[in-house]
Amino acid sequence: MSESQDDIFNGLLKKIDETERLIEECKKLPDISGKPKLQRKIEAELKFLKRLTKNRDKLKEEHIRSSNIYHLTAIVRSCAEMQGVIKVLETFSYVIEEDEDEVYELSLTVDIVADYGKTWVKVATRNPFHLYEASVGHGKYGRKSIVEQVEDMVDCASQNHHMFAAPKIIVRLAAGVTKELKELLDELGVQVIGEIISADCEENFNVICNKQSEFFDSLLNQLTSLENIHLNINDDAEPSSSDTFPSDSNEESSFFNMQSIPANAVLNLDVSTFLAYVSNMTNGHCQAKYREKLLMDLAEMERAHAVKPVLDQLFQGRKLVCCETAHRDFLEILSTVGGESEKQRASEMLSRVSIVSDNPSPKALALEKTSKIKERSKIVFGTGDSMKAVTVSANLGFLRAAQSQGIKFVAFVHESRALTECKELKNDDIKL
């Protein structure tokens, strides 16, 4: 093997070592939605690089310079640097209308969802001069420029609101950005993060980066010279989501994220929230015994995860409302099965809550009734939607069923609790 081939092979070993360290960096990230997908992509890249070691005599420098590893590295480092990252490599759907008769549903993958859902981040690592050239029509046919990709993000964000507003979009350009490209992106109303690279730096930049944007194309063209080597970095299949509570699935993770709720948000309380807040079980009686297995199970859950402190933290400093239907149904349940202490707590709690008229939104009214979608839930969640309020509830089943019909509501979900004061066994009661 020539000295040049030795250098290339040593470069491959170095890249393998860097990729292995990147996997460890990825593992140290918080357990955000999409992290397993990100790790699998890096591991697939590592597997590919290790296969290259078996063909050292045919190695070329371009083989070990896949632009994908630079992109994955930038995503991992950005996740570690940014605040409130809750999702990575998250796919969103949106529709476009070509004309009056043709509507297309498209999907778009967002590199990072940060600020607890308020910000979408696109990461780019290509040569900034090549990015600009492609954006003014000098790119490869059929490949979207970064400006076109960001335009798609803007369209998608406008249809996937977080807390009733389109997410802010940040474009992080790891290799820098030309002044001209930044101006094009600024016109789209997005925030651009990246060092401004002047035109007179292009020659030196190309030497330093070694034409990074061409690496991936070169890799694909020359793979045919390497026997039995296959690049497989597109396995996006996620494990099936668990039905346990709470859920960390892509669709549901925001339901349990208190940090994503603005300090000035209005909270619309569901019947289940009133019951959980005033229950004897959540107010110092979680050690009580009950004849019903369901209540014993709830007591065990309460001992493991107390609900009232979570709700107290959520309620602090925020306006509380409930619709007439929720207010009426809660009082009916309270009068039927509530104990004296629970009724006293309910009176104190209701003094802090403003009662508003039922006013369900059109999208709530459009939901088809199922075993999980009841009329009361449509009214409660729909009224919150009309008010642009965050509905607080234990009714995860309704939210899942609504999502299955393509309808999403802004909500915070807590564990369910029942009124239990009248069900508590006394010392002289029958032992369990």
Side-chain angles (χ1 to χ4, degrees):
M1 182 180 291
S2 67
E3 182 177 348
S4 176
Q5 286 294 105
D6 284 338
D7 291 339
I8 295 174
F9 187 74
N10 289 334
L12 172 61
L13 296 180
K14 180 179 179 181
K15 182 60 63 179
I16 290 173
D17 184 56
E18 291 174 354
T19 305
E20 288 176 337
R21 290 201 299 270
L22 185 63
I23 291 173
E24 294 306 310
E25 286 185 50
C26 185
K27 290 179 179 179
K28 293 178 182 178
L29 293 175
D31 291 329
I32 54 180
S33 177
K35 175 182 170 181
K37 181 192 297 186
L38 176 61
Q39 185 172 325
R40 285 198 301 274
K41 284 182 175 289
I42 303 171
E43 289 170 345
E45 185 73 13
L46 176 63
K47 185 177 181 181
F48 164 71
L49 292 173
K50 286 185 175 180
R51 283 176 177 172
L52 291 178
T53 62
K54 300 176 182 178
N55 297 269
R56 57 191 301 172
D57 292 334
K58 298 180 180 180
L59 271 178
K60 294 185 179 182
E61 192 169 3
E62 291 85 354
H63 290 144
I64 61 175
R65 301 201 182 193
S66 165
S67 62
N68 193 63
I69 197 61
Y70 290 98
H71 185 241
L72 296 173
T73 300
I75 290 176
V76 172
R77 303 278 164 80
S78 296
C79 284
E81 294 169 5
M82 301 194 72
Q83 296 295 316
V85 174
I86 60 172
K87 298 178 182 180
V88 62
L89 301 179
E90 172 73 350
T91 300
F92 295 89
S93 298
Y94 67 110
V95 297
I96 60 171
E97 297 183 11
E98 292 293 335
D99 54 47
E100 293 182 358
D101 299 323
E102 295 186 0
V103 177
Y104 299 94
E105 182 173 353
L106 304 176
S107 62
L108 180 142
T109 299
V110 175
D111 291 331
I112 300 170
V113 179
D115 292 337
Y116 304 104
K118 293 185 290 186
T119 301
W120 288 2
V121 183
K122 177 172 182 59
V123 176
T125 56
R126 288 185 61 197
N127 179 319
F129 301 101
H130 294 170
L131 286 176
Y132 173 67
E133 288 296 316
S135 297
V136 293
H138 299 153
K140 291 185 178 295
Y141 178 77
R143 174 182 292 179
K144 285 190 174 182
S145 71
I146 189 169
V147 172
E148 292 171 319
Q149 294 172 39
V150 174
E151 287 175 339
D152 290 343
M153 286 187 72
V154 172
D155 289 341
C156 186
S158 71
Q159 299 178 36
N160 287 273
H161 284 192
H162 174 77
M163 294 296 165
F164 306 103
K168 171 185 175 182
I169 295 175
I170 293 177
V171 183
R172 289 174 64 104
L173 296 144
V177 57
T178 66
K179 178 182 177 182
E180 295 80 5
L181 178 57
K182 185 177 185 303
E183 290 175 350
L184 291 176
L185 294 172
D186 286 341
E187 290 177 0
L188 300 177
V190 303
Q191 180 181 350
V192 180
I193 297 178
E195 181 183 358
I196 302 295
I197 306 296
S198 60
D200 57 5
C201 295
E202 180 171 4
E203 183 177 351
N204 291 335
F205 186 91
N206 286 337
V207 172
I208 295 171
C209 292
N210 201 13
K211 297 183 180 179
Q212 189 181 116
S213 64
E214 298 176 358
F215 293 159
F216 190 58
D217 291 336
S218 176
L219 173 66
L220 293 178
N221 292 334
Q222 297 186 47
L223 277 178
T224 54
S225 67
L226 299 172
E227 295 180 359
N228 301 320
I229 294 181
H230 303 283
L231 178 61
N232 181 16
I233 58 174
N234 293 317
D235 180 13
D236 289 346
E238 290 281 16
S240 58
S241 61
S242 171
D243 289 332
T244 58
F245 186 100
S247 168
D248 289 327
S249 74
N250 290 352
E251 292 295 332
E252 298 172 5
S253 60
S254 61
F255 294 156
F256 312 97
N257 194 332
M258 191 178 301
Q259 292 93 333
S260 69
I261 301 176
N264 62 348
V266 175
L267 304 181
N268 172 46
L269 308 187
D270 186 19
V271 174
S272 56
T273 302
F274 283 110
L275 297 176
Y277 195 81
V278 305
S279 169
N280 245 29
M281 182 181 290
T282 61
N283 286 272
H285 292 256
C286 61
Q287 301 295 337
K289 303 297 182 182
Y290 311 93
R291 284 194 173 89
E292 295 87 346
K293 183 179 184 303
L294 173 61
L295 295 183
M296 289 298 293
D297 289 343
L298 288 178
E300 183 177 354
M301 292 172 64
E302 174 65 18
R303 290 191 291 271
H305 304 286
V307 168
K308 193 166 185 289
V310 174
L311 295 177
D312 278 331
Q313 182 181 352
L314 179 67
F315 294 168
Q316 188 173 10
R318 295 186 171 100
K319 181 179 180 180
L320 308 180
V321 304
C322 76
C323 67
E324 291 173 339
T325 292
H327 179 248
R328 182 194 66 235
D329 288 6
F330 169 58
L331 291 181
E332 288 181 0
I333 297 171
L334 184 69
S335 65
T336 303
V337 298
E340 290 304 314
S341 296
E342 290 169 335
K343 290 177 180 177
Q344 179 60 35
R345 294 187 200 102
S347 177
E348 295 172 357
M349 183 182 185
L350 285 170
S351 68
R352 303 164 52 193
V353 179
S354 299
I355 313 301
V356 300
S357 300
D358 293 345
N359 183 29
S361 61
K363 75 178 186 183
L365 294 174
L367 286 168
E368 296 182 9
K369 288 186 180 180
T370 67
S371 61
K372 295 292 186 180
I373 297 181
K374 307 292 188 182
E375 187 64 25
R376 183 176 76 191
S377 297
K378 290 172 64 174
I379 293 173
V380 172
F381 283 87
T383 299
D385 190 51
S386 292
M387 296 181 62
K388 298 192 183 315
V390 179
T391 298
V392 185
S393 175
N395 195 349
L396 181 59
F398 170 83
L399 290 166
R400 286 175 169 168
Q403 283 188 344
S404 71
Q405 295 186 29
I407 303 297
K408 299 180 182 180
F409 293 95
V410 176
F412 177 84
V413 177
H414 57 84
E415 292 187 11
S416 176
R417 300 290 184 265
L419 299 182
T420 56
E421 186 175 358
C422 296
K423 296 286 187 176
E424 294 175 6
L425 295 178
K426 309 302 178 184
N427 292 335
D428 55 350
D429 287 326
I430 300 174
K431 293 184 179 181
L432 295 177

